[in-house]
Amino acid sequence: MKKIFLALVGMVMAFSVSAAQFSDGAQYVTLDKTVANEPQVLEFFSFYCPHCYQFEQVWHVSDSIRKNLPKDVKYTKYHVEFLGPLGKQLTQAWAVAIALGVEDKVSPLMFDAVQKQQSVQNADDIRKVFIQAGVKGEDYDAALNSFVVKSLVVQQEKAAADLGLQGVPSVFVNGKYMVKNDGLDTSSQDMYVKQYSDVINFLATKK
């Protein structure tokens, strides 16, 4: 019983020490105005963004965030349209991925096609990536022209505008806080990824 108590005390102390490391203006910033009705944890990215590629495909920060969040906290990713010649089309395609529930299948293939192979030059090339991910062409076409996808596109654009998004990758929590990418420990990949998850968990439960 004593061992269990000491273990619990240790966990509480560890959390307290971790939380004490995070402060407004250092590891995160509080927005001037809280934006209601946004996903609890919201990441903005672009398939054209080299930092987003590293964030997701090399350092796997997105996966770490998702795996370490409390079960009742929702994690969502939105694409932005202000980067690259096909930014708007890729935002529409990401809405298709969300609607079809194939984000995890499409994301690595699209990053690779856009940034490494540079094979995405038009809307049909985007469609080909979805087919490569296992989506039937007719299913992609139907989703692309659906009301659901059109609504998701508007939703992504509105969220970026309401939150005052200025660059990617950016992560917002509860429509109230934004993680400062340059405020985290970059001494090692493991430390950066862990601290990113820790600060988001801290903000997700912050009153």
Side-chain angles (χ1 to χ4, degrees), residues 35 38 42 44 78 154-165:
V35 179
E38 292 299 341
L42 176 57
F44 289 96
Y78 284 167
V154 172
Q155 194 170 306
Q156 291 177 93
E157 295 170 345
K158 184 177 186 303
D162 290 348
L163 290 165
L165 181 69

Side-chain angles (χ1 to χ4, degrees), residues 47-162:
F47 285 117
Y48 282 109
C49 165
H51 295 298
C52 298
Y53 177 88
Q54 184 177 31
F55 191 83
E56 178 169 324
Q57 300 299 312
V58 180
W59 286 30
H60 304 290
V61 180
S62 299
D63 287 340
S64 178
I65 293 171
R66 188 183 292 108
K67 289 176 182 177
N68 291 297
L69 279 176
K71 291 182 179 180
D72 60 338
V73 176
K74 183 180 180 181
Y75 178 80
T76 303
K77 292 181 63 176
Y78 284 167
H79 192 273
V80 299
E81 63 176 48
F82 54 72
L83 290 178
L86 295 174
K88 188 172 184 63
Q89 289 89 335
L90 284 168
T91 298
Q92 293 171 334
W94 187 246
V96 171
I98 294 173
L100 297 179
V102 293
E103 300 103 301
D104 290 344
K105 293 180 181 179
V106 167
S107 186
L109 295 177
M110 193 68 76
F111 265 121
D112 187 69
V114 171
Q115 294 201 34
K116 295 182 70 177
Q117 300 175 12
Q118 298 184 353
S119 58
V120 175
Q121 303 298 323
N122 54 51
D124 190 53
D125 292 333
I126 296 174
R127 183 178 185 268
K128 289 176 182 177
V129 174
F130 274 77
I131 293 173
Q132 184 183 355
V135 177
K136 293 181 179 179
E138 55 267 31
D139 291 341
Y140 176 83
D141 295 337
L144 185 64
N145 296 306
S146 69
F147 174 78
V148 171
V149 164
K150 291 177 181 178
S151 297
L152 281 168
V153 170
V154 172
Q155 194 170 306
Q156 291 177 93
E157 295 170 345
K158 184 177 186 303
D162 290 348

